[in-house]
Amino acid sequence: MKSNEQIRALINRLSRLDAAQNWDGALNPAQRAAVDYLARANRFSRSPSHVADFLGTTRGTTSQTLKALMRKGFVSEERSSTDKRSTSYHLTDMGRSVGGTGSLLLAALEKLPQNDLANIEASMRRLLNAAVRENGLKPFGICRTCLHFKPMETGGYCTLLRVALNDAETEQICHEQVPA
């Protein structure tokens, strides 16, 4: 097997093992992925289309996933006050309680030396960026690393959306992110 094929197989196996371990009866892997995304997304990036773009699924699949999460009490839905067609999803207390818990992959990563983790993160980031560019996908990224981000004494400012950001929001994923 060629090296690239082997790397792809390893990434896929790790992802599947991690997802399978997180299927705890309450959430299936797609629902868990949506909860994990919403836990990390900023207030501008929580629409069904943003969730679908990030997870690489169809809007219909994502809509059904979000509806199931709402029925189960993990998310709430909020309609925009300015555009009634626009919907945003937010984690409930129950949704926040399951984010990032019990991950096989996180447990394995915690056992690796810090130097290895830094190298893995840098390599995975380059790999993801190449795949995103190659396929014309949205990069998504942390607000503070965006071209539109301006640091302030507390938090920051998004020059694209023209809004102030609190400290926590500068560390969240944004759909509008353009790498600086």
Side-chain angles (χ1 to χ4, degrees):
M1 184 182 281
K2 291 189 335 191
S3 180
N4 289 353
E5 291 170 356
Q6 183 62 30
I7 291 168
R8 180 182 177 272
L10 290 168
I11 291 170
N12 280 339
R13 178 139 193 255
L14 280 169
S15 178
R16 290 183 187 280
L17 288 173
D18 193 56
Q21 189 222 10
N22 284 324
W23 192 324
D24 63 5
L27 297 174
N28 67 39
Q31 292 166 350
R32 165 97 41 199
V35 166
D36 288 346
Y37 170 74
L38 290 171
R40 298 175 53 218
N42 69 16
R43 61 186 151 134
F44 312 108
S45 304
R46 295 182 182 149
S47 75
S49 63
H50 297 146
V51 178
D53 286 350
F54 186 83
L55 298 179
T57 63
T58 66
R59 291 179 184 191
T61 297
T62 298
S63 177
Q64 292 306 308
T65 297
L66 292 169
K67 286 178 183 177
L69 287 170
M70 206 162 71
R71 279 192 309 275
K72 293 178 179 185
F74 290 98
V75 301
S76 63
E77 179 184 69
E78 182 181 316
R79 294 256 179 224
S80 169
S81 58
T82 57
D83 180 359
K84 296 298 179 188
R85 297 169 299 165
S86 180
T87 304
S88 182
Y89 287 84
H90 305 276
L91 293 180
T92 62
D93 288 341
M94 189 164 71
R96 280 187 289 282
S97 73
V98 299
T101 58
S103 168
L104 171 127
L105 192 51
L106 283 175
L109 287 168
E110 287 173 6
K111 293 182 171 105
L112 295 178
Q114 195 62 39
N115 190 44
D116 287 356
L117 292 173
N119 290 332
I120 291 168
E121 181 182 0
S123 294
M124 294 300 290
R125 189 171 307 283
R126 285 191 306 273
L127 180 61
L128 177 60
N129 288 340
V132 164
R133 263 192 320 275
E134 179 74 22
N135 292 289
L137 303 171
K138 284 284 225 173
F140 287 84
I142 304 300
C143 188
R144 68 176 162 69
T145 65
C146 180
L147 179 68
H148 303 294
F149 177 75
K150 299 294 177 217
M152 298 182 70
E153 193 171 309
T154 58
Y157 185 79
C158 176
T159 60
L160 177 69
L161 301 175
R162 297 183 181 132
V163 294
L165 306 164
N166 65 40
D167 284 333
E169 288 175 316
T170 68
E171 296 296 325
Q172 291 177 320
I173 295 172
C174 184
H175 184 260
E176 301 294 343
Q177 205 259 12
V178 176

